[in-house]
């Protein structure tokens, strides 16, 4: 199994290091052969190659079995525009790998209920999966542009979806629902956007044709944003487009008290891309205090996808154990209530418990 590791920027390298050594340890114990290759992405790739995602890295990614990515972006590259931005590199690799479905699971464990910004009774029972369309919509839609003179400019982006693009991501959502709570809530803005009207029609048609046994509902995105913070436990699978999914998944992610906990898997092409939902957090980079859990859980999603569910389960058990021991990185630490640990210490605790769970 060949894994391409793209640590990227900010806290990316720190959390990637811990994750790779965790995987190495567990794979060794299981006799699974994992080979890791490293390359640059985002700002690091701009510094190294003058390109946030050079074709050479894409070629390596396509030749791998999976790609683990840390995070991209930072102040150093904020003055860059267009295709030279670190974020463009991320969009390019998503598009090139054809990973049209981004899975962002949000489950709030009991040991973290008091870290949530919501009251414990409001958060109880929250366990959802956001399925975000990842390679289309307004992120990629043409035409787009900016013209005119400073002070008198115009700019536009285009949100477009085709039947085929909607169907394939909806199919992923329905399929996951069948393995979970059997409910899909499709989120759109069909009361205003014509692109959302197509979205809703296609989801309805596919539902009738292929998944009539799954319970389907629809929600406008403004209401969905509110429902996420009022009664998040009502959701099982949320299916939505690229932009709405970006926004809603950050909101959903913080329900657990920290973005540092949330993993993601981008699938649909021959090679999957696994990355935490959080960004590069430049303010805490290099301090050894970042939360490695989101990256570790992203690796668990990767091992599941690579048909090693036992390694995935061990990582998850390791994370649960570390959290249940009261260990918390700075983002989640509560004075007098939890034990504050570094990135390394948190990962060590995960590794130890994961090894004994394997
Ligand atoms: C995410 C990020 C990216 C996105 C950015 C960094 C391009 O916010 O993965 O959610 O908007 O998709
Ligand atoms: Mn985002």
């Amino acid at each position: 199994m060949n894994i391409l590791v793209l640590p990227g920027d900010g806290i990316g390298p720190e959390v990637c290091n811990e994750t790779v050594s965790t995987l190495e340890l567990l794979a060794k114990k299981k006799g699974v052969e994992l080979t890791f290759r490293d390359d640059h992405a985002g700002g690091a790739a701009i510094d190294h190659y003058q390109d946030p995602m050079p074709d050479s890295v894409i070629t390596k990614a396509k030749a791998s079995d999976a790609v683990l990515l840390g995070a991209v972006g930072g102040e150093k590259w904020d003055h860059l525009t267009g295709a030279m931005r670190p974020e463009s590199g991320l969009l390019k690799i998503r598009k090139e790998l054809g990973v049209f479905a981004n899975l962002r699971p949000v489950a709030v464990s009991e040991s973290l209920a008091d870290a949530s910004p919501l009251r414990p009774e409001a958060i109880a029972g929250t366990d959802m999966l956001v399925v975000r369309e990842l390679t289309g919509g307004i992120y990629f839609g043409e035409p787009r542009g900016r013209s005119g003179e400073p002070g008198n400019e115009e700019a536009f982006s285009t949100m477009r979806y085709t039947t085929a693009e909607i169907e394939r991501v909806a199919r992923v959502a329905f399929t996951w629902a069948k393995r979970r709570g059997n409910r899909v809530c499709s989120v759109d803005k069909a009361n205003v956007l014509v692109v959302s009207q197509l979205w809703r029609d296609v989801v309805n048609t596919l539902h009738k044709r292929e998944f009539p046994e799954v319970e389907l509902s629809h929600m406008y995105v403004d209401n969905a944003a509110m429902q996420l913070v009022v009664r998040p436990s009502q959701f099982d699978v949320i299916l939505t487009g690229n932009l709405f999914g970006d926004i809603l998944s950050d909101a959903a992610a913080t329900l657990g008290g920290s973005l540092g906990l949330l993993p993601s898997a981008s699938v649909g092409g021959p090679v999957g891309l696994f990355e935490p939902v959080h960004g590069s957090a430049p303010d805490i980079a290099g301090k050894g205090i970042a939360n490695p859990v989101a990256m570790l859980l992203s690796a668990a999603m990767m091992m599941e996808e690579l048909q090693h569910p036992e390694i995935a389960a061990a990582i998850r058990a390791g994370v649960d154990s570390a959290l249940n021991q009261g260990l918390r990185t700075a983002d989640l630490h509560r004075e007098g209530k939890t034990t504050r640990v570094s990135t390394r210490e948190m990962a060590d605790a995960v590794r130890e418990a994961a090894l004994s769970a394997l």
Side-chain angles (χ1 to χ4, degrees):
M1 221 66 87
N2 289 304
I3 317 289
L4 179 65
V5 183
L6 302 174
D9 310 318
I11 60 171
E14 300 161 50
V15 296
C16 268
N17 272 340
E18 298 302 337
T19 300
V20 168
S21 48
T22 305
L23 285 170
E24 276 173 337
L25 206 68
L26 299 177
K28 191 165 162 221
K29 175 155 182 198
K30 262 294 180 192
V32 174
E33 260 190 60
L34 289 185
T35 311
F36 295 93
R37 290 206 290 173
D38 266 47
D39 215 314
H40 301 287
I46 296 172
D47 291 351
H48 198 84
Y49 299 116
Q50 291 78 53
D51 183 337
M53 188 59 67
D55 290 337
S56 62
V57 177
I58 299 286
T59 304
K60 270 192 198 169
K62 287 181 176 168
S64 311
D65 293 291
V67 180
L68 263 186
L69 190 141
V72 301
E75 219 163 73
K76 182 174 175 196
W77 309 280
D78 261 351
H79 64 283
L80 299 167
T81 55
M84 270 306 280
R85 286 192 65 82
E87 292 82 358
S88 298
L90 183 54
L91 299 187
K92 177 173 168 186
I93 192 170
R94 289 174 176 170
K95 189 77 172 176
E96 287 282 340
L97 291 179
V99 287
F100 59 81
N102 181 220
L103 313 175
R104 299 185 162 186
V106 179
V108 179
S109 67
E110 226 157 86
S111 64
L112 284 167
D114 66 343
S116 175
L118 300 191
R119 293 184 313 282
E121 65 272 22
I123 194 75
T126 295
D127 182 356
M128 73 182 99
L129 175 69
V130 180
V131 178
R132 167 191 177 193
E133 199 289 326
L134 201 63
T135 54
I138 198 167
Y139 271 54
F140 295 92
E142 299 284 349
R144 60 172 120 183
R146 179 169 171 169
S147 60
E149 304 300 322
N152 188 22
E153 287 183 278
E154 184 188 37
F156 59 101
S157 296
T158 306
M159 192 187 286
R160 328 174 63 105
Y161 274 116
T162 62
T163 299
E165 283 176 309
I166 301 164
E167 271 185 356
R168 65 185 185 179
V169 70
R171 207 170 270 125
V172 171
F174 283 123
T175 304
W176 271 97
K178 286 169 66 170
R179 293 183 215 155
R180 299 172 40 100
N182 208 42
R183 290 181 293 124
V184 170
C185 177
S186 175
V187 172
D188 61 36
K189 189 71 187 173
N191 50 348
V192 176
L193 303 178
V194 67
V195 59
S196 284
Q197 289 152 16
L198 175 68
W199 180 280
R200 196 174 277 220
D201 289 348
V202 171
V203 171
N204 275 329
T205 306
L206 182 80
H207 172 243
K208 270 198 207 92
R209 195 174 67 222
E210 292 180 25
F211 301 94
E213 71 282 19
V214 178
E215 198 182 303
L216 172 66
S217 60
H218 300 275
M219 203 180 268
Y220 297 136
V221 63
D222 50 351
N223 184 28
M226 180 185 72
Q227 296 296 333
L228 267 179
V229 295
V230 172
R231 206 166 58 83
S233 61
Q234 70 187 279
F235 295 108
D236 178 25
V237 173
I238 293 182
L239 162 66
T240 192
N242 206 343
L243 180 63
F244 299 157
D246 178 47
I247 299 166
L248 294 181
S249 63
D250 262 37
T254 199
L255 294 174
S258 170
L259 263 178
L261 296 169
L262 269 290
S264 91
S266 303
V267 296
V271 179
L273 174 65
F274 302 84
E275 48 170 321
V277 171
H278 64 67
S280 57
D283 51 321
I284 60 163
K287 296 185 177 162
I289 61 171
N291 191 343
V293 167
M295 187 83 240
L296 285 161
L297 292 176
S298 301
M301 294 183 86
M302 176 180 86
M303 293 315 287
E304 198 130 62
E305 199 66 25
L306 294 176
Q307 310 300 324
H308 285 289
E310 74 290 354
I311 294 182
I315 296 173
R316 293 191 179 114
V319 167
D320 284 344
S321 161
L323 291 172
N324 287 332
Q325 290 166 48
L327 307 181
R328 301 284 187 276
T329 40
D331 51 322
L332 284 166
H333 174 60
R334 303 251 308 257
E335 211 51 59
K337 291 202 163 163
T338 61
T339 310
R340 184 179 166 157
V341 292
S342 66
T343 309
R344 170 63 48 83
E345 289 163 336
M346 188 71 189
D348 278 341
V350 172
R351 276 189 284 268
E352 198 185 308
L355 263 185
S356 52
L358 196 61

